[in-house]
Amino acid sequence: MPVKLLDCDTISQAKCKLHDTWYNYKNTPVSQRVPVDSLELRLVGQHQYNVLRDEDETSVVEGEWKRLNTLRHYKVAENAVFSFVADSTATNRFGHFMDHSTHFSSNPKLNRSMDLNSSNPKLNRRGSGSSCGLRPYHLTKTNTSSTIDSDQTTFVHVPEIYLTRLLTTKGTLQHFVNDLFVSIFSLSNGDVPLAIKFLFDMLDRQAAENGITDPDIIHTWKNNSIPLRYWINIIKNPEMILDVEKHPLIDSILSVISQTYMDSCSLSNHAFSTDSPSSKLLYAKELQDYKPAVRKFYSDIQALPPVTDEKLFSSLPSTESMQLHRDAALYDLAVYAHNYCFQIDEALQRTNCDELSKKFATVISYLQLYLIPSGTT
């Protein structure tokens, strides 16, 4: 299977590219993939470097720095063949990799790679460098000192040079980001799930019963009930519902999008300046459209016909069709009832449910004696 690699790729980067290409070709879910750290990369037909690693005895040491090994370091030629082999601690589960080889194709015009530093957890640090106090680096050395030696060449990172690339990436993703916001903050066929309508109506009723007339307070309640409690976790952590792996770079991108999502729900006006983080400045223009969309979404839901209890319960799936652990669900309910027993009892008494209040007191007494240890929250 041919894979395009760069001769400035570290061994970890090359392994990840080969690993992803193979499993994407096989359309294998992430949960069923062999971890890349459990595999060794070998160069077929070249016995001088049997196993390729980021750090080994051949790594170049420059003072306190150790350069991470790249494909160029091992003199890997174009159309070279690699193989994945399980390490000595792996089981036969990894054996299917040994029969699949990969051809290496280099392009001198594309010999640019992501600069990895010692803080990257993906690096395979099998070597003696880190244990000897040496500082590993990839393409450039991170300058942590304000003093620069005039006799030594030092590479200084200028953040401004990445602005064009940042804007280009945003333009590529903007269509998908807009689709995401439209999907969340718009009515599907003029309607929303009944549970959301029921919840928002309940919040409106609570505000009216408690004499709360400030619309900003009700807006904040609705923000904290669904958008900032549910959707923000899905955007930031898609692996919660999807069988995917979240790369650190993807995590950074999702952090910017999720922050934009939070700012869209916020009622405060953000004052942007040249000192504002680039992640906030990136979507400053779009926020002018996202914020009104959130308000309109809440207003449209409020204008929908109310949902009765019977209609809500009939729309919920039956417990037979849901994969629930009965004992675990009952225990969680018991802990909740135990923690809020006084508030629940007061609510039952206010609604003249004396018989139900007595039964609830009996349940709480049983829980305190047999099921829930003291101090459980």
Side-chain angles (χ1 to χ4, degrees):
M1 179 184 298
V3 179
K4 180 175 291 187
L5 303 176
L6 308 178
D7 62 359
C8 56
D9 281 338
T10 64
I11 305 306
S12 291
Q13 288 177 322
K15 285 175 60 177
C16 288
K17 290 181 180 180
L18 298 171
H19 186 266
D20 290 343
T21 301
W22 167 252
Y23 276 121
N24 290 338
Y25 172 78
K26 299 289 288 185
N27 198 23
T28 305
V30 172
S31 60
Q32 301 177 16
R33 299 183 180 185
V34 179
V36 65
D37 293 336
S38 302
L39 302 169
E40 290 182 340
L41 184 63
R42 295 190 179 183
L43 188 59
V44 178
Q46 185 170 345
H47 302 289
Q48 183 179 2
Y49 305 114
N50 190 19
V51 179
L52 308 186
R53 294 178 175 141
D54 282 330
E55 300 179 28
D56 57 17
E57 62 278 0
T58 68
S59 299
V60 177
V61 177
E62 302 172 359
E64 64 174 350
W65 296 90
K66 171 182 276 193
R67 182 186 301 167
L68 297 176
N69 296 337
T70 61
L71 298 180
R72 183 190 298 123
H73 170 81
Y74 286 110
K75 298 180 175 59
V76 177
E78 189 168 350
N79 295 322
V81 179
F82 295 98
S83 66
F84 269 134
V85 180
D87 59 21
S88 58
T89 61
T91 62
N92 291 334
R93 176 188 175 194
F94 308 128
H96 62 278
F97 276 96
M98 298 186 64
D99 297 328
H100 299 280
S101 300
T102 303
H103 294 278
F104 167 70
S105 176
S106 65
N107 187 341
K109 295 183 180 181
L110 297 177
N111 282 344
R112 290 183 291 271
S113 178
M114 184 198 316
D115 191 359
L116 297 179
N117 53 41
S118 58
S119 62
N120 195 319
K122 292 288 185 181
L123 296 181
N124 181 14
R125 298 297 171 76
R126 293 185 179 181
S128 58
S130 298
S131 60
C132 295
L134 298 176
R135 302 170 61 185
Y137 75 97
H138 180 199
L139 299 179
T140 60
K141 303 172 185 176
T142 304
N143 182 23
T144 58
S145 176
S146 57
T147 303
I148 300 179
D149 190 352
S150 58
D151 297 332
Q152 183 179 3
T153 302
T154 304
F155 295 94
V156 179
H157 293 280
V158 182
E160 286 75 11
I161 66 176
Y162 298 107
L163 180 60
T164 304
R165 186 178 302 177
L166 186 65
L167 295 175
T168 302
T169 303
K170 181 208 170 185
T172 304
L173 300 177
Q174 187 57 42
H175 172 70
F176 302 98
V177 175
N178 287 337
D179 288 346
L180 172 66
F181 278 79
V182 170
S183 300
I184 296 176
F185 295 117
S186 63
L187 302 184
S188 177
N189 298 323
D191 204 356
V192 293
L194 296 181
I196 295 180
K197 170 60 179 174
F198 185 86
L199 174 62
F200 281 13
D201 285 351
M202 184 196 69
L203 295 176
D204 290 333
R205 288 196 306 269
Q206 289 295 319
E209 293 175 2
N210 292 275
I212 298 175
T213 59
D214 188 352
D216 291 351
I217 295 179
I218 305 175
H219 184 96
T220 303
W221 285 359
K222 295 177 180 180
N223 283 343
N224 294 331
S225 63
I226 298 294
L228 300 184
R229 180 177 294 272
Y230 173 77
W231 280 113
I232 197 68
N233 287 323
I234 301 301
I235 296 173
K236 186 69 172 63
N237 306 296
E239 71 277 9
M240 293 175 60
I241 60 173
L242 302 176
D243 194 356
V244 296
E245 181 182 11
K246 185 173 62 175
H247 191 276
L249 290 179
I250 301 299
D251 181 63
S252 301
I253 296 174
L254 295 178
S255 296
V256 175
I257 297 176
S258 60
Q259 182 61 52
T260 304
Y261 178 85
M262 294 176 62
D263 293 341
S264 301
C265 297
S266 175
L267 293 170
S268 60
N269 295 322
H270 298 82
F272 298 103
S273 65
T274 55
D275 297 328
S276 300
S278 58
S279 58
K280 286 185 173 291
L281 294 174
L282 199 60
Y283 283 94
K285 181 180 178 181
E286 284 74 12
L287 283 177
Q288 300 176 6
D289 298 327
Y290 294 156
K291 282 177 172 289
V294 176
R295 286 192 173 92
K296 184 178 184 302
F297 176 64
Y298 292 162
S299 177
D300 291 343
I301 293 179
Q302 190 176 27
L304 293 174
V307 179
T308 61
D309 295 351
E310 294 76 12
K311 189 176 181 180
L312 173 66
F313 295 147
S314 63
S315 67
L316 298 177
S318 61
T319 55
E320 289 79 6
S321 62
M322 300 175 64
Q323 297 181 352
L324 296 177
H325 193 287
R326 178 176 176 273
D327 294 339
L330 288 175
Y331 183 80
D332 288 340
L333 289 174
V335 172
Y336 181 86
H338 178 266
N339 292 337
Y340 297 95
C341 60
F342 296 109
Q343 293 89 332
I344 296 175
D345 184 63
E346 290 177 358
L348 293 175
Q349 292 180 7
R350 284 199 306 269
T351 54
N352 297 322
C353 298
D354 296 335
E355 189 65 27
L356 190 57
S357 177
K358 293 178 182 179
K359 292 181 179 180
F360 180 73
T362 303
V363 172
I364 293 299
S365 300
Y366 178 80
L367 294 177
Q368 292 175 344
L369 288 175
Y370 299 104
L371 289 183
I372 302 179
S374 60
T376 300
T377 58

